[in-house]
Amino acid sequence: MKPGEDLSPTSWVKKDQPTDVSTMAHYKDGGYEDVLEERRHTSDLKYAMKSRPDVPRYKYCKPRTPAEIKTQVLNSDRLRYTIEKISDATKTSKEEIMKEAGSILDDMAHNLTVGVVRSVAFFLIKVFKSIFSRIYVNKEGIQMLHRLLHEYPVLLMPTHRSYLDFLLVSYIFYEYDLPLPIIATAMDFQGMKFFSWVIRQVGGFYIRRAFGSDTLYWAIFTEYVQTHLRNGDAPIEFFVEGTRSRTAKSYQPKIGMLSASLESYFKAELPDVMVVPISISYDRILEETIYAYELLGIPKPKESTAGLLKARGVLSNDYGSVHFHIDNPISIRLFSSNKIDRVQHALEPRYINNLTAQEKDVMVHLARHIVRQQQGHMVISPWALMASVLMQSREGILLRQLIKEVEWLKRQTSNLGAYVNWPGNTSSESVVQHYLSLHMNVISISETGLIELKLVLPSHMKKPVADEVMLNAATNLILSSYRNQLLHVFVQVGMLSLVVNTSPQVTMTMEDLYQGYVFLETLLQKEFVFLQGETKKEFEWAVLTLNHSGALAIKDNHVLVKQSINKYTTFFSQMFEPFLLGYWVLCQYFLSLPGDIQGKPLPRKPKNFTKEAQKVALRLLQENVIRHYEILSLDLLGNGLLALVEMGCMYKDKRWVSHSVTCHTRSVTRHT
Amino acid sequence: MADANEPGPEGKRHLVSNNVSYPAIKSINLEECRAEKSYKLTVEQKPSSIPKRRQELLKWNGWGYRDSKFVVNKNGHVEFTGERYRLSNTVMPALRDWMINTVGISLEHQQPAQPELTAADIVAPIVNEGFLEDMQRTGISFTDDPQDRLFRAHGHTLHEVFILREGKFKRIPDLVLWPVSHKQVQTVVELCSKHNVVIIPFGGGTSVSGALECPENEKRMIVSLDTSQMTKILWIDEKNLTACFECGIVGQDLERRLAEKGYCTGHEPDSIEFSSVGGWVATRASGMKKNIYGNIEDLVVHVKVVTPRGVISRNCQVPRISAGPDIQQFILGSEGTLGVVTEVIMKIRPLPECQKYGSVVFPNFEKGVDCLREISRQRSAPASIRLMDNEQFQFGHALNPEVKSVLASFVEGFKKLYITRIKGFDLQNISVATLLFEGTKEEVANQEKRVYEIAAQFGGIPGGEENGLRGYMLTYVIAYIRDIGFDYYIVAESFETSVPWDRVLDLCRNVKDRLIRECKERGVQFPPYATCRVTQMYDAGACVYFYFGFNYRGVGNPVKLYEDIEMCAREEILANGGSISHHHGVGKVRKRWLGQTISEPGLGMLRAVKQYLDPKNIFGNNNLMIDSKL
């Protein structure tokens, strides 16, 4: 050591201010590193022009241009077969159908171009630096991808909470010299000429949201996805939730895209396919306000270029940090082994679409599994904890109290195995204050230090919403979306707590407890993602967790109800109460429906059901019967409706028909 | 085997060579025939090339002749001993490094085989006294010599050879019988049925399906019915171009003796030196030159089989028949479960005037497969065409002998330069097809022209006759290499399948990938060697042959490990639309997939036939459809 060097005990600390919130982001906890750190000190232009020499490529890949890909798709066996069939069935000439196919493909195809990618990188890095303080990436995941992309075709499946998701994926892949993914994008963007063009150039390809029976479209789409997978031109990215989750909870997964891709594996065109779930956690979601209004049924503004540019005002805000977690790959071979028999496809040409029932089943399983794996690696922001506490403090809460509650909740969250992004070197007070400052748009602090919700006026609404209830609801929904980020962690113990809390008995057998749990899981099946066939296991895990943390008193295989109603179970119950209230409102509304001559309610469309149920909810709120604004959420009401259909309380024919809901209403009521 | 000097009792001759010259004895023989007022040639009978006490000529615990094996010589180079093969008595300087670099062997780490087993090490026989008494009266030759019994207790799967090298069989035949005629076989089967003794027919012993292994829990006496003394060519019918063989004649003797009369069957499985006619029928064998001559099922005109229920035979020898389902098809591939094939009438052909080798170099395996597919589409396949992948090409290269002349080395260098520099091929990607043409001079010339034209469309360039010849020769020698591998901790095996054209490439890639991945996941410490070649082509698909081996140093129970991995590979093959087997058969090692292959009712059909023909399960080798209940 040179003489004169600082010998203080903290000489290894670069900036010796343990309580400064801005330093807390320097840590590399859990193997995360901040991508923006280096970018803040180097030239963006140089960055955009950097050479990418070691980009891994699938070992069997034969390089081709986007134009060659198109030609190969149009000349594929699958397409020729489909065109032949359509031509025979409709008596249209093959040339005509081919022409149509060509234009469908033109609408669909990406045009990944390095030049544009570089310009976009240049632009994106500027935006990211201005709106985010940190973008954390798990380095291990990057290294894993470098190896994996060489060995197998890869499907990237990020969580979908924001438009920024796919930009972030591409940006990070650019940053770490990984091949840029091609991205399945919904048609929503096509209205915006310039952005639509840009997205194509950076690897986006467009698919219609619904094309159920259009065999030509399905064939082109399948072949287009599969040809990329087979040749491994690039990793393919799509969102298993289908669309951006407006509630920040995971949506029920869709399997369309998954089945189009995995058919290639089922038919042994590939040695394996690797699914890499990616969990992207935001401190603050860019579209939070828009989502809230959408959930209340105010139509979302069409994504026009002008609209996005106007959103630049939003871009000058601080959106905290992002955690980008690349998860361990799921090998489709291992996941599906013993569940399917690929031999079944040996007797037919492989371009004929015919997946077996087991294969479809495996994909439903897989889709749920992927969502659960995504959830497992979501990083819980302290703000999500704060939001959960604030949601349960309708009259406002003092900072001191808030800190205390949040610290308690943090412990519970960790005990359930979730990773909370809580800097260890900083006082809880500064952490809480930091996050309050990030979310001042929904929070106000009174002179007495009482922290409570604030009303918001969305910037893009010309006229303010007249009804005060709706306004409050919007703010509330924003806050609830952050609480929602915590719910997947607590859903099992939450359901258990609900059963205990609503029990009229003194003791409860484990069987009764389980039955109550099963009922709630069935009821909430559209709200949360449960794994098929794992109910018992998860129930047992929840019992064990609550029992060990002292929340659930069990003696001689019986739950002692009185001892089990405590802070834990009450808090956990209340987290889920709004959903049950919403469903209760839904049931009330169904029961109030006038019947026809035979006393049966008249059929209607589901959309109308939820709309009208929302009116009932609104009235209840106005009359102050219920104080949970979330019952106004169309998403919640819609999920409830779907669950009731699944449970057999409602059924659908060509239109939807409501049916008796009496018996279950009673049970729903019981739980609230 | 090309140019292999096969020692017959009468001396040596070239089984295959570039320009075949045949003795002009045809007319003389015809004279003789007419004299006898028959068009059937009688053939002078000669003893088999393989002695009764097989272990005197053949390795007791490995492949092939005792005198032929790979050894590391005193200079540390690999050398192939003996004088039988083209490669015999040559040093292959590149092979040692190939073995070190590709499969990670180390010359310091050896795993030698156990010494030859003596009577004390071999389990005592179970004796059925009544049977033995009756047997003695028949005058049929038999023995209970332990080493003779041991020799007939196995085929050549990895599992079996490993037991010979390092362990002991729990169950081996209790008696070896050598009947010399159809009639004697009938006697044996009758006696065995009478005394409830199990018969396991034994031909050339080249099985690679575990078919010859004795069921471990068989409590009855087991006799090995060795057909090796039934080697007569009963007649040759020049009018119909057919010949009648006894079941025990081995391929090399059969072709040699037919050639003396100017004929051949053209059936050349890779095991031709040792495998027998009866074995070909019982396993549904396939020959290298099937494009001209057909596989065994195309060659066979009539089969005579002795079953416990009686002799199965047709009343005519006709080219085709519509008489209900073909009973002969039940025999072809029955793997010794129904009876013993005793006499076979096969088609024969006049020896071809000209035989020529060739080879084509492709920039990669994919192009090669595309080319084969096109040749098949145009139905212009030569007698044989085989496409090696790059790994196998590299291996073939490593087997190159010491370059003895400056000129040869110069030519080699020039060829390499031409292919890599001028044609722009990458030696790490190229794939080589070996070709064998047969026919008249004009036919061969035409075939050659056509094949090379098609090859050119797929970027293939002719690689010379020498490379073709070497390729076929390697087939025979490659069987020997496994034994030296064993000495250095390598376990290796080959397996095959048939697959539709559209799935050939996917299957090759996926199976190799699976093999490598399974090795990795099971903790194999060294990179495995997985390679394949397309060895046969048909209108609707091809036969693919895999070689797979790995260095098991550092992991326990290599045989189990190998078998588990091969099982995964077979599952991958089936998932890729491949078959349970193209010509090796099912035996015991592939039994588990037979049900799904032929469906449960299909399996039931086989069982019903078995039940009728052999209700006591005298032919109880436990192959194919026989389950332990039967």
Side-chain angles (χ1 to χ4, degrees), chain B residues 404-456:
Chain B
K404 284 179 181 130
S405 78
V406 182
L407 186 69
S409 129
F410 173 76
V411 170
E412 265 305 301
F414 178 75
K415 265 196 251 167
K416 194 168 152 183
L417 198 73
Y418 174 72
I419 287 181
T420 55
R421 287 291 159 77
I422 302 185
K423 282 290 172 180
F425 286 9
D426 179 356
L427 285 182
Q428 299 307 310
N429 280 325
I430 63 168
S431 157
V432 176
T434 56
L435 310 161
L436 172 61
F437 303 94
E438 265 191 27
T440 63
K441 282 210 170 80
E442 300 80 66
E443 278 168 359
V444 167
N446 284 338
Q447 280 178 29
E448 273 190 298
K449 187 165 170 277
R450 189 123 180 236
V451 167
Y452 290 129
E453 268 170 17
I454 297 175

Side-chain angles (χ1 to χ4, degrees), chain A residues 35-46:
Chain A
V35 217
L36 291 183
E37 181 70 18
E38 199 192 327
R39 296 285 80 79
R40 289 193 199 280
H41 305 300
T42 52
S43 145
D44 291 343
L45 190 65
K46 229 173 169 177

Side-chain angles (χ1 to χ4, degrees), chain B residues 49 64 118 135 149 189 198 201 251 265 332 342 379 401 515 620:
Chain B
S49 298
T118 56
M135 205 60 223
R149 291 192 291 121
V189 173
V198 173
T265 62
L332 283 153
T342 53
R379 292 205 172 156
L515 288 168

Side-chain angles (χ1 to χ4, degrees), chain A residues 152 269 272 333 345 350, chain B residues 502 509 514 517 572:
Chain A
Y152 292 106
E269 291 171 323
D272 198 353
R333 164 192 303 295
H345 297 295
R350 293 183 287 181
Chain B
D502 70 318
R509 185 193 57 230
R514 183 77 184 265
R517 179 159 164 192
E572 189 67 35

Side-chain angles (χ1 to χ4, degrees), chain A residues 58-60 62 151-152 267-272 274 331 333-334 341-343 345-346 348 350, chain B residues 364 366 500 502-504 506-507 509-510 512-514 517-518 520-521 571-572 574-577 596:
Chain A
Y58 179 44
K59 58 187 173 188
Y60 301 118
K62 297 213 168 57
E151 295 296 322
Y152 292 106
K267 297 193 172 168
E269 291 171 323
L270 293 165
D272 198 353
M274 293 291 181
S331 151
R333 164 192 303 295
L334 295 180
D341 184 8
R342 289 185 291 161
V343 181
H345 297 295
E348 265 186 4
R350 293 183 287 181
Chain B
N364 55 47
E366 289 78 7
D502 70 318
R503 290 170 174 263
V504 171
D506 286 344
L507 181 134
R509 185 193 57 230
N510 291 352
K512 282 196 266 181
D513 188 274
R514 183 77 184 265
R517 179 159 164 192
E518 293 291 340
K520 213 186 277 175
E521 281 170 8
E571 254 150 31
E572 189 67 35
L574 297 178
N576 278 268
Q596 70 169 105

Side-chain angles (χ1 to χ4, degrees), chain A residues 5-21:
Chain A
E5 207 164 308
D6 186 359
L7 292 175
S8 78
T10 53
S11 61
W12 46 274
V13 180
K14 212 164 147 192
K15 191 173 166 191
D16 197 2
Q17 280 175 297
T19 52
D20 180 358
V21 185

Side-chain angles (χ1 to χ4, degrees), chain A residues 267-331:
Chain A
K267 297 193 172 168
E269 291 171 323
L270 293 165
D272 198 353
V273 176
M274 293 291 181
V275 171
V276 177
I278 298 175
S279 313
I280 309 175
S281 322
Y282 297 93
D283 272 349
R284 187 177 160 198
I285 290 169
L286 193 68
E287 297 100 321
E288 55 180 13
T289 318
I290 303 172
Y291 288 164
Y293 280 86
E294 256 183 64
L295 288 172
L296 290 170
I298 294 148
K300 104 176 161 182
K302 209 168 159 52
E303 274 112 358
S304 67
T305 308
L308 255 196
L309 288 180
K310 225 184 268 169
R312 278 197 56 199
V314 178
L315 294 186
S316 59
N317 268 321
D318 183 2
Y319 288 87
S321 50
V322 181
H323 280 80
F324 189 95
H325 186 98
I326 301 160
D327 205 354
N328 287 332
I330 303 169
S331 151

Side-chain angles (χ1 to χ4, degrees), chain A residues 391-402:
Chain A
M391 286 298 288
Q392 294 192 23
S393 327
R394 319 223 133 252
E395 313 298 336
I397 187 168
L398 288 168
L399 182 63
R400 196 160 30 87
Q401 190 63 21
L402 177 64

